[in-house]
Every structure is written in C-alpha cells, then in structure tokens.
Amino acid sequence: MAFFGSVKTIGEGVLRFNPSKYQVRYLNLHEFQSKSLMDKYGVNTQKWRVVTKASDAIKAASELKGELVVKAQVHAGGRGKGSFIETGFKGGVHLCKTGKEAERLCEEMLGKHLVTKQTTKEGTKVQSVMLAESVDPKRELYFAIVMDRKYGGPVMIASPQGGVDIETVAEETPDLIFKEPVDIIKGIRPEQTKKLAEKLGFTGEKAKIAQQQMENLYQLFIKSDATQVEINPFAETTDGQVICMDAKINFDDNASFRQKEIFEMRDTAEEDPREVEAGKFGLNYIGLDGNIGCMVNGAGLAMATMDIIKLKGGIPANFLDVGGSASEQAVTEAFKILTKDPRVKCLLVNIFGGIMKCDIIASGIVNASKQVGLKIPLVVRLEGTNVTIGKEILEKSGLNITSANDLDDAAVKAVNCLKN
C-alpha cells in the first residue's frame, strides 16, 4: 500500500527495493484462506467452497446459491485478465450458473500455469480453485486497517472510492481518503467507526452494520497479529448487505510462534524455491534479475553493496543477508543457492567481521567454495577483527578468489570479472 511509502529507484543507477517489482518473503494467503479467517471473526463474505479436483466442483456448486464466480487461487493480481500457458485459455476468474459449467472451468484451470501481470513468464501453477456466490455491488467502497509508524500504531483508512487502485485515489483525490488512528491499548471507539461509516455514505441501520464489520475486522487485525487488513471493495450490495468482497491480509512474521495455525497456511509451492531453501538456514534471500551474486552480513550493508554494484555498471542478482554470526554451514548453503542461478557469473562476498572474526569467516568461505565446487570468480571484501589473517587464508587457498580492499574496490573487481 502507498501509505507505507514503498521505496523505489532513487537517483542515477542507485537501487532500492520496489515491492511491486521484486518478490519479498512474507506470509501470503490465498483468497479462500483469507475468507476463512474473516468467517472466523464474523466478517461478512460471500459463501464459498474450494476444490482441488474438477470432479468436486459439481458438489461444491450445489452447496452455493445463484450465479457463481470461479477463481483460480494463486498469489498474484490480475487473474481475470491472465491466460493459461498450456491451453491459451483466457482468464483465471469466470462467472457461471451451473455446477457443470463450474466443473468445466475448473478443468481449464487446475494443474495449468496462469500468467498474469504479476507472475513470471512461466506463470504459476493453479492447485486450487474457489467457487463463491456472486454478489451484485451497489457501491464499491474501501476500508483498511494498517500498522502505521507515523501514528505509532493501527490506523483505520476508508474511502468512498473503492474497487480501484487506492494509491491512485490517494494521489489524485486525497480528500476522499479518511484516516482514524486507533489507541492499540483501548481499541477502536464507536464514535470512530460511526464517523467512518458516515464518510462512506452509510445511514441508519446500514451504518450500524458497517460499524460492526469494522469492529470485527479490527478484532481480526489484532488477534491474528496482522500488519494490514485491506478490504477492496468493502461493498454495499443491491440486496442491502454489507460485504467484504476481497481481502489482502499481511502478518507480522515475528508473531509466527503465536499464530501457528495461520502460518501453517503458507503455500511454499507459490514461492521462489530459493527463498524457501534460504529460510531453512536463517538466510534472508530475495532473488533479482542480475548476474553478480551477493552475500553480505547485515541488511544495511547488503543494500549498500547492491547500490555500489549498480553504480559501477553491474546488476546484482540477489539480496542475501547471512546475519551477524554467519557459520560455515550458512555460507555453504548461501553459495549453493547463489550458484543454482544460471544468470550468476560472479560472486561478491562483503563481510564485516564483528561477532564473527574474519579468519573464521575466511576459512568458511574457502571450505564452502571447495564443497560446492565453485567455478565462477569470487570477489571477497573482509573488514574487522583479524582481517589480515583472513586475507592470508584466502590468498593461500589456491582458489579463484580475489581479495578487495574496500567495498568500492570489490564492486569494481566484480564488474570487471564479467568482462573477462
């Protein structure tokens, strides 16, 4: 969401993460999983069913009423305008009226790879499809609760302009964005939800229903350790209901020990396998599009390393933070992950030896290089305790390792490796 101020490219050649372009590792729920969580907290949603086999669609449809919406369940937006690689079938979202039609649509989707504007060109394999009762919105509104640093806690955000890109609304008509900071100790107050309900155009009994839905969404937000609950659209239907038609819910990863049931919903099949593998060893990895693999200890130092590579004419292949006390096993696993990417033609290791001394780090790098059979150039910049001993270990290893004096020197040498 724009309210968090996502950082993009800044200045000539300087790299910053843009969440809309690069995949980040956090818990991401399928739509049906979000709906099951909303159902638990009394949030109004369409009645739904989920199937993993097309043959189950007729029974699922028989338990629902009226026109049905059939949705491929993948972690990507733009499903309705997507297409399937294997057959060319258009659209991951369709309307139908019978169980037989639903079965046919499920056959077109299940087991096939859906390509949307937010997936890779290889697409994402559809392993489940949600069937839900279609609703007819009279008005499409917007409601969200986010954890906002500016306010030091939760903030409710509402707008009468829902069903569209809320960032565009915030930019073009900021007067239609309404915010209510919440005291996280006291919780939301009735006068706050009443105010927002009125700003959304609800009156009388409808306003009370909308208020109750806001309260229920806040309970979901707090009790599930969410950092964002975004409902778009938050709709008033033609038959007088207030429905949360679609939801995006983000969670605090640090609360995973407390929210085991929610975090067990994680679908690793939807994630970059390199990121999944990195997580097993406590490595923070995000794959990018370049050809210089980076291994650094510390997120800030990792960002600086990527920036300087970019400034020197190279393109970083990843963000990889091995942490402040990188073990030999962690370095070995990091090398395995980095070298699996065929685009990586050189590795740059930038380590500051604080908790872990440079000589120990150097030994780990040498042993890891031998274990994975490293064949591409490796540039290493070490700084900190026992740095002289560490450099001697690298020089005497007999491996294709180039020592760098500082970060600027390391970036230049890594980029030059690509020219040879």
Side-chain angles (χ1 to χ4, degrees):
M1 285 184 60
F3 302 105
F4 288 112
S6 57
V7 186
K8 301 183 180 179
T9 303
I10 301 174
E12 182 64 31
V14 179
L15 184 69
R16 285 290 184 267
F17 282 122
N18 177 355
S20 67
K21 183 175 181 182
Y22 298 122
Q23 186 179 22
V24 295
R25 193 172 79 233
Y26 57 83
L27 179 63
N28 199 351
L29 298 185
H30 287 295
E31 185 179 355
F32 76 89
Q33 293 172 323
S34 294
K35 276 184 164 54
S36 68
L37 196 55
M38 290 193 289
D39 290 343
K40 177 180 177 181
Y41 286 93
V43 178
N44 293 339
T45 66
Q46 310 107 299
K47 190 176 179 182
W48 59 275
R49 294 289 185 270
V50 66
V51 299
T52 56
K53 295 187 297 183
S55 57
D56 293 336
I58 293 179
K59 180 178 184 299
S62 70
E63 298 171 357
L64 305 173
K65 296 179 180 178
E67 188 175 48
L68 304 178
V69 57
V70 180
K71 292 187 174 184
Q73 297 297 283
V74 295
H75 291 164
R79 289 173 291 174
K81 295 181 180 180
S83 61
F84 291 86
I85 292 178
E86 290 84 353
T87 62
F89 183 69
K90 302 295 183 182
V93 179
H94 288 268
L95 294 172
C96 69
K97 295 182 179 180
T98 68
K100 201 66 181 175
E101 287 180 89
E103 182 182 43
R104 180 185 62 80
L105 289 168
C106 288
E107 286 176 347
E108 294 282 6
M109 298 181 189
L110 285 167
K112 314 290 195 312
H113 290 79
L114 177 63
V115 177
T116 80
K117 61 183 180 180
Q118 290 187 8
T119 69
T120 64
K121 62 182 180 180
E122 292 79 18
T124 300
K125 187 176 182 179
V126 177
Q127 303 192 77
S128 58
V129 172
M130 185 186 73
L131 282 63
E133 294 178 351
S134 178
V135 298
D136 185 14
K138 177 182 178 182
R139 296 190 303 133
E140 295 189 356
L141 314 166
Y142 178 91
F143 180 79
I145 305 169
V146 300
M147 198 63 78
D148 195 312
R149 290 186 181 90
K150 178 181 177 181
Y151 293 97
V155 176
M156 292 188 293
I157 303 168
S159 174
Q161 296 294 313
V164 296
D165 186 352
I166 196 64
E167 285 88 348
T168 301
V169 177
E171 183 179 339
E172 297 180 355
T173 53
D175 56 308
L176 295 179
I177 301 289
F178 306 103
K179 300 182 182 181
E180 280 291 321
V182 179
D183 185 321
I184 199 168
I185 304 300
K186 297 179 181 178
I188 58 176
R189 303 186 307 275
E191 57 267 29
Q192 289 183 295
T193 55
K194 183 174 185 293
K195 178 180 177 181
L196 290 181
E198 290 173 349
K199 291 289 187 182
L200 293 178
F202 290 106
T203 59
E205 286 300 313
K206 294 276 182 64
K208 293 180 181 178
I209 295 172
Q211 282 186 257
Q212 185 61 58
Q213 288 301 293
M214 293 177 190
E215 171 66 35
N216 293 351
L217 285 165
Y218 184 77
Q219 292 306 314
L220 184 161
F221 178 86
I222 290 296
K223 293 180 180 179
S224 64
D225 286 297
T227 56
Q228 170 182 299
V229 174
E230 182 183 41
I231 309 299
N232 190 18
F234 183 72
E236 179 183 357
T237 64
T238 52
D239 58 356
Q241 299 183 70
V242 178
I243 294 283
C244 296
M245 292 182 62
D246 201 0
K248 179 179 180 181
I249 308 175
N250 291 345
F251 302 88
D252 182 357
D253 286 342
N254 295 312
S256 59
F257 71 96
R258 197 164 46 220
Q259 301 292 343
K260 292 182 179 179
E261 184 178 345
I262 291 175
F263 278 78
E264 284 174 357
M265 295 182 186
R266 180 185 177 193
D267 185 356
T268 56
E270 290 269 348
E271 301 175 26
D272 186 328
R274 297 169 299 178
E275 296 183 20
V276 176
E277 188 68 16
K280 295 177 182 178
F281 299 95
L283 304 171
N284 297 306
Y285 174 93
I286 299 172
L288 303 177
D289 300 326
N291 51 14
I292 298 179
C294 306
M295 190 187 82
V296 190
N297 64 334
L301 191 59
M303 290 299 297
T305 302
M306 294 163 63
D307 279 349
I308 293 180
I309 288 173
K310 188 75 173 177
L311 286 169
K312 298 301 178 182
I315 305 175
N318 63 276
F319 169 99
L320 196 157
D321 171 18
V322 295
S325 56
S327 65
E328 183 176 322
Q329 183 190 18
V331 174
T332 301
E333 295 303 329
F335 275 24
K336 288 179 181 178
I337 292 167
L338 293 174
T339 54
K340 282 180 182 177
D341 187 342
R343 292 173 298 186
V344 173
K345 305 302 180 184
C346 174
L347 294 184
L348 193 162
V349 175
N350 182 22
I351 300 289
F352 181 82
I355 298 173
M356 184 69 74
K357 297 182 178 71
C358 288
D359 54 329
I360 297 175
I361 294 169
S363 296
I365 291 172
V366 169
N367 292 334
S369 298
K370 291 178 179 178
Q371 188 172 333
V372 302
L374 190 65
K375 292 181 173 60
I376 59 177
L378 171 60
V379 178
V380 180
R381 180 257 183 167
L382 295 177
E383 192 56 73
T385 308
N386 292 349
V387 64
T388 302
I389 301 173
K391 288 184 176 181
E392 289 178 358
I393 292 172
L394 296 178
E395 290 170 4
K396 294 177 181 179
S397 68
L399 300 174
N400 184 18
I401 300 177
T402 303
S403 289
N405 297 320
D406 52 41
L407 181 50
D408 192 80
D409 183 40
V412 170
K413 288 178 175 176
V415 172
N416 285 339
C417 284
L418 303 177
K419 300 176 182 178
N420 298 330

